[in-house]
Amino acid sequence: MSWRYCGDQIKLWRARAGVSREDLATQAGYSYESLRSMEAGRRKPSLHLLQVADEMCGAKGILASGAEYLKPGGAMNTDLTWFKSSHSGTEGGNCVEVAATPSIVHVRDSKDKAGPQLAFSPEAWAEFISFAQASGSLS
């Protein structure tokens, strides 16, 4: 599952940035077919590929942070320490929880702890927090 997730992310970012599969494969030192297999989840994407794709696609660390998903235990590690947003009320509503590691900031719905999580690089998360503070969303 994590191979496919990382591969999907590479493919989405590559398409968004207008980078061809051939160009990415060449730059990363892989054949076109090897990259295709990684994007389809049939082969494990390498850290090197994630780093090259991150740079070529302007992902600001988001793709490179996907390496956590490829490690044993990976980014969905249950040993994470989750913190509920101080802006979340006690009445339910829209609540998020955050768990930070050195390379990934995880975000989940506090009402669906087993549900999907978002993963951001610390740099992308810091940009989001700065934007939210500047817009008055975190007053």
PDB file of all heavy atoms in Angstrom, residues 15 117 136:
ATOM      1  N   ALA A  15       3.006  15.206 -12.891  1.00  0.00           N
ATOM      2  CA  ALA A  15       2.038  15.716 -13.870  1.00  0.00           C
ATOM      3  C   ALA A  15       1.718  17.184 -13.600  1.00  0.00           C
ATOM      4  O   ALA A  15       1.641  17.993 -14.530  1.00  0.00           O
ATOM      5  CB  ALA A  15       0.771  14.873 -13.834  1.00  0.00           C
ATOM      6  N   GLN A 117      -4.784   9.841   7.220  1.00  0.00           N
ATOM      7  CA  GLN A 117      -3.951  10.908   7.757  1.00  0.00           C
ATOM      8  C   GLN A 117      -3.349  11.690   6.593  1.00  0.00           C
ATOM      9  O   GLN A 117      -3.109  11.136   5.527  1.00  0.00           O
ATOM     10  CB  GLN A 117      -2.797  10.335   8.581  1.00  0.00           C
ATOM     11  CG  GLN A 117      -3.202   9.544   9.773  1.00  0.00           C
ATOM     12  CD  GLN A 117      -1.987   8.894  10.441  1.00  0.00           C
ATOM     13  OE1 GLN A 117      -0.847   9.210  10.147  1.00  0.00           O
ATOM     14  NE2 GLN A 117      -2.257   7.979  11.347  1.00  0.00           N
ATOM     15  N   GLY A 136      -5.675  35.257   9.933  1.00  0.00           N
ATOM     16  CA  GLY A 136      -6.563  35.403  11.097  1.00  0.00           C
ATOM     17  C   GLY A 136      -7.292  34.125  11.466  1.00  0.00           C
ATOM     18  O   GLY A 136      -8.126  34.123  12.381  1.00  0.00           O
TER      19      GLY A 136
END
